Amino acid sequence: MLEIRNLEVSLEEEDKQILKGVDLTVEAGKVHAIMGPNGSGKSTLSYVLAGREGYEVLGGSASLEGEDLLEMEPEERAAAGLFLAFQYPVEIPGVNNMTFLRTALNAQRKARGEEEMSAPDFLKLVREKAKELEMKPEMLKRSLNVGFSGGEKKRNEILQMSVLEPRLCILDETDSGLDVDAMKLVSQGVNKLRSPDRGFLVITHYQRLLDHIKPDVVHIMADGRIIETGGPELALRVENEGYGTLKANA
Amino acid sequence: MATDATRKAAEGMLHALPLPEGEAGWARDARAAARARLLEAGAPIKRDEYWRFTDPRALTVPMEPVGEREPEKASTAFDGIEAVTQHFVNGRYRPDLSDPLALEGVAAGALSDVLAQDISIARELFGKLEAAGHEKVDRPLAMLNTATAREGLVLQVTGEAPLPLHLRHAQIGEGASMLRHLIRVEKGGSLTVLETGTPSNCVVEVDVADGGTFRHIRVQTGARAPSAAHIFARIGSEAKFQSFTLMADGKLTRNETVMDLVGDDAVGHIAGAVLGKADAHLDNTVFVTHSALNGESRQVFKNVLEGKATAVFQGKIFVREGAQKTDGYQISQAVILEDGAEFLVKPELEIYADDVACSHGSTTGALDPDQLFYLTARGVPRKAAEAMLVAAFADEAIMEIEDDAIADAMREAVSEWMATRG
């Protein structure tokens, strides 16, 4: 589903190479986790896949279902089924949470040549998903992420993911800023979305999120490369030994 | 500072316009006084500090009255709002095109009729608020209006008007279209005036007596001819004045709002949303004077600019000695959608009372790239994402409008403008 080949990326303004040849394949139905120390390039990878400005692709490729992601605008990537749950969801005063989500959903549907969802159907869907995430109804009426706590912002990300039903979900440090209860809720939301035709890329610094969202494959990233790939046991090894020994062996 | 050249220019402006005839003595006196003041002050020039950002040349060339031609299509922003509509075409009042001039709580007449009679509210207002509005700075174009304008309405508001009064001006081509409205809101009176269009020179004198309420919402879109508008407002004790202007495009539009809070606990809010593309030049110049205790003033201006458009905001809060407990606030912000557009700002505070809270702020910048990325990453196309952020930005000024239906009409106008972008 997601194919990344020898991806090399630098920051446009600083001429500093962050990704130094990343190879990664995420299959439909699988949950892949990327773990790594701070500054290893995990978040950069997620931003480059989603199409954020400010990065220069020096070489390599990234495709979703055979389509070249790097050639597409962010909104085209979203319509193609890519979803990035942000580490720091952006606050946008004056843009209503629900209006935004409906605009996004219908823009994606339109781009795919599908019919737009009616207001009542949308309302029903979003209320149902919000309830599952234990989000208060008034949060839907507020400005996008404005005044939301850290946990509420992350739940709002998962709400968007549940409504937009992407093919590939990238979760960037979704556990940061979450207490244990919120992490359980968010993880349940993610787990509900697991299906044979959907892939996940879960980026995390700590192993604890992976207790709740069980990965099929774990990758260790350091200094802009995937240095080791294994099963769920690799995450436990990181937990016990830290990243130091893995880097030393790489 | 007037020079021989600027005085000569003032004379030229006066001579291009016909002398009003058949008016009452008090009106002739007011005209003569305004002529004398204009010749003393001279025409404005770009070297004047007050015109540093807006070249007044197009406004000060001698202009003869616009001829009778079919008007261009005016803005339809207020079409969904039920109102008593009065039409003005090329600077002339057209009762034949208008609704009957009848509104509960409002006594109304045509200015040209009133100037020939002895009617006290007209005598007390005409040229009086304008003459009082030149403290610190001359406003020669308003003096020209007092000296020559004959068309407009005189309104005395004694009750709560159930509907807005819509003053709608249409114009084609360049030339003088001088309008003058006189409004007095008595105690307990309340009126909303909607204004559409851009006469070449419009002055509104509005006296909101103690306990009165006056609301003003103005739409100025796509003016092809230069336009200068002045509002002189005097706000009495516990009286309320609110003005909002939507400016969209237009070659040269200058709005001066001059407000004096003369009674204790007076409230005056002046807001605007400015949308400029291509070579638009849109100027909001505001002068707020606090002359009494416990006054509250707000200025909220939001500018959205692209192409080679220029927006100007000059906003002053002047607090007189003794105007304690004044609460004065001013914010002007611009979003620049394209390099090449510019926002020129001059905020000013001048305060002679020691127990006041006055603040001003101004920002200029592009749309937030993180916000744009967040919206587009969810599938919202770039243009639609920009429109969402612009709508949210402009809304901070539109929220100053109390009436929901009118505010929604302004929101609609903003989104229509965004939709017409290339």
Side-chain angles (χ1 to χ4, degrees):
Chain A
M1 160 170 276
L2 176 69
E3 300 264 356
I4 302 172
R5 292 286 162 266
N6 199 27
L7 187 62
E8 293 186 45
V9 171
S10 70
L11 282 178
E12 245 170 29
E13 289 193 352
E14 290 173 39
D15 195 28
K16 182 181 165 197
Q17 189 164 349
I18 310 283
L19 301 184
K20 299 172 178 170
V22 173
D23 283 288
L24 182 69
T25 302
V26 177
E27 309 84 2
K30 300 286 188 206
V31 174
H32 285 239
I34 296 186
M35 301 183 71
N38 292 328
S40 57
K42 308 187 299 290
S43 285
T44 296
L45 178 63
S46 70
Y47 282 144
V48 169
L49 292 175
R52 184 183 173 137
E53 288 176 3
Y55 298 102
E56 190 182 350
V57 176
L58 304 171
S61 66
S63 65
L64 182 65
E65 311 266 23
E67 283 189 84
D68 183 359
L69 278 176
L70 304 177
E71 286 294 308
M72 298 158 101
E73 296 297 331
E75 60 266 34
E76 293 170 331
R77 302 181 198 207
L82 185 142
F83 183 96
L84 169 63
F86 282 60
Q87 181 178 5
Y88 303 108
V90 180
E91 295 188 9
I92 311 189
V95 171
N96 175 276
N97 201 10
M98 230 175 353
T99 310
F100 151 70
L101 186 50
R102 184 162 172 242
T103 306
L105 176 65
N106 281 334
Q108 287 198 20
R109 288 178 160 230
K110 202 175 154 197
R112 291 193 293 259
E114 299 166 11
E115 217 170 285
E116 295 191 2
M117 189 181 278
S118 73
D121 286 351
F122 172 78
L123 208 62
K124 204 174 146 221
L125 173 70
V126 79
R127 282 200 181 131
E128 177 195 319
K129 303 287 184 194
K131 203 173 162 196
E132 288 171 9
L133 288 159
E134 294 180 19
M135 285 172 70
K136 296 180 209 110
E138 62 260 31
M139 282 175 65
L140 301 172
K141 294 179 196 151
R142 299 222 309 249
S143 283
L144 186 48
N145 293 326
V146 176
F148 288 23
S149 70
E152 286 171 336
K153 283 180 182 167
K154 294 300 172 75
R155 270 186 268 177
N156 203 33
E157 293 293 288
I158 304 306
L159 173 75
Q160 293 171 18
M161 198 164 92
S162 313
V163 168
L164 295 171
E165 298 188 314
R167 307 292 307 279
L168 176 73
C169 306
I170 303 170
L171 282 72
D172 186 10
E173 307 267 4
T174 293
D175 49 336
S176 68
L178 290 187
D179 60 25
V180 179
D181 291 338
M183 181 138 63
K184 275 188 187 159
L185 262 175
V186 163
S187 303
Q188 278 167 18
V190 173
N191 288 331
K192 272 194 84 153
L193 283 168
R194 290 180 76 154
S195 82
D197 56 3
R198 184 171 288 135
F200 285 85
L201 190 56
V202 180
I203 292 169
T204 181
H205 187 82
Y206 300 105
Q207 190 268 338
R208 57 177 193 168
L209 180 67
L210 304 180
D211 288 341
H212 301 282
I213 305 172
K214 299 263 191 265
D216 300 296
V217 183
V218 175
H219 308 273
I220 306 299
M221 192 161 179
D223 194 27
R225 284 186 193 89
I226 305 282
I227 56 166
E228 193 162 346
T229 295
E233 72 287 348
L234 188 53
L236 292 169
R237 229 175 87 205
V238 169
E239 187 72 3
N240 294 330
E241 298 171 20
Y243 290 110
T245 49
L246 284 162
K247 274 167 86 173
N249 296 338
Chain B
M1 189 64 118
T3 64
D4 286 350
T6 62
R7 286 196 192 97
K8 213 167 163 224
E11 251 173 65
M13 292 161 70
L14 278 166
H15 283 150
L17 294 164
L19 271 178
E21 287 168 17
E23 295 183 340
W26 63 268
R28 289 203 303 274
D29 290 348
R31 304 265 196 214
R35 276 179 84 87
R37 282 188 282 117
L38 173 55
L39 292 173
E40 173 65 27
I45 52 172
K46 194 154 192 289
R47 276 207 311 278
D48 294 340
E49 177 64 20
Y50 216 49
W51 290 88
R52 194 153 60 101
F53 299 139
T54 296
D55 190 339
R57 257 179 307 181
L59 294 164
T60 56
V61 290
M63 269 187 272
E64 294 184 354
V66 182
E68 292 283 358
R69 276 180 283 184
E70 280 308 299
E72 66 187 355
K73 198 170 173 290
S75 165
T76 55
F78 291 127
D79 278 9
I81 308 294
E82 196 189 348
V84 172
T85 301
Q86 301 297 303
H87 285 272
F88 299 83
V89 177
N90 290 337
R92 285 178 191 81
Y93 180 36
R94 293 289 297 272
D96 55 319
L97 303 175
S98 304
D99 292 334
L101 186 49
L103 186 58
E104 201 185 307
V106 181
L111 180 71
S112 52
D113 295 339
V114 169
L115 288 170
Q117 303 165 33
D118 191 17
I119 290 175
S120 64
I121 72 146
R123 205 177 53 223
E124 286 161 15
L125 281 179
F126 182 65
K128 294 291 194 296
L129 298 196
E130 176 263 301
H134 303 286
E135 184 160 349
K136 308 273 177 197
V137 57
D138 286 329
R139 305 177 198 278
L141 298 171
M143 298 171 183
L144 177 71
N145 190 292
T146 302
T148 61
R150 283 180 292 185
E151 302 275 352
L153 293 182
V154 180
L155 308 171
Q156 185 178 22
V157 185
T158 52
E160 289 189 25
L163 288 178
L165 184 69
H166 185 182
L167 309 178
R168 187 162 184 163
H169 182 257
Q171 171 160 356
I172 183 162
E174 300 206 1
S177 47
M178 318 284 294
L179 289 186
R180 179 58 158 263
H181 305 295
L182 309 178
I183 303 166
R184 183 173 161 89
V185 184
E186 308 289 359
K187 186 180 174 74
S190 164
L191 176 68
T192 297
V193 165
L194 311 177
E195 224 187 326
T196 302
T198 48
S200 74
N201 186 325
C202 180
V203 170
V204 179
E205 286 171 303
V206 50
D207 185 16
V208 190
D210 297 354
T213 300
F214 181 74
R215 300 186 191 89
H216 172 247
I217 300 98
R218 176 169 57 179
V219 172
Q220 302 170 318
T221 58
R224 279 178 272 165
S227 169
H230 291 78
I231 298 171
F232 295 94
R234 182 166 65 190
I235 322 298
S237 179
E238 293 183 21
K240 211 159 108 179
F241 172 88
Q242 291 178 321
S243 178
F244 174 90
T245 301
L246 178 82
M247 300 172 94
D249 305 322
K251 254 172 114 173
L252 196 176
T253 305
R254 161 104 161 190
N255 292 326
E256 294 189 28
T257 305
V258 184
M259 174 173 83
D260 193 352
L261 287 79
V262 298
D264 293 346
D265 303 296
V267 175
H269 293 183
I270 302 163
V274 177
L275 311 168
K277 63 171 170 285
D279 60 349
H281 186 105
L282 307 168
D283 179 333
N284 279 294
T285 290
V286 177
F287 196 112
V288 173
T289 302
H290 284 267
S291 300
L293 292 175
N294 211 24
E296 178 199 311
S297 70
R298 275 172 75 79
Q299 302 171 46
V300 179
F301 283 84
K302 297 280 180 165
N303 301 263
V304 181
L305 303 169
E306 64 171 11
K308 297 251 177 282
T310 301
V312 175
F313 177 74
Q314 304 190 99
K316 176 151 181 164
I317 304 173
F318 173 47
V319 182
R320 290 188 200 276
E321 199 180 336
Q324 302 293 14
K325 306 287 181 192
T326 283
D327 179 2
Y329 174 75
Q330 180 197 103
I331 182 87
S332 66
Q333 295 179 302
V335 160
I336 307 290
L337 296 175
E338 267 175 17
D339 287 347
E342 57 178 352
F343 182 46
L344 306 170
V345 193
K346 188 180 171 197
E348 258 186 299
L349 299 178
E350 188 175 339
I351 301 172
Y352 297 100
D354 56 10
D355 185 14
V356 301
C358 287
S359 64
H360 66 80
S362 185
T363 62
T364 304
L367 289 174
D368 184 331
D370 289 336
Q371 295 182 343
L372 272 176
F373 175 58
Y374 190 79
L375 296 175
T376 54
R378 291 293 174 260
V380 180
R382 170 99 188 180
K383 288 276 175 197
E386 288 176 351
M388 282 174 111
L389 295 180
V390 162
F393 173 76
D395 211 50
E396 290 168 34
I398 294 173
M399 282 191 301
E400 298 288 315
I401 301 170
E402 273 181 20
D403 184 295
D404 288 342
I406 296 173
D408 283 343
M410 297 300 98
R411 291 185 179 104
E412 188 61 31
V414 170
S415 75
E416 272 176 27
W417 185 84
M418 283 302 289
T420 61
R421 294 175 62 223

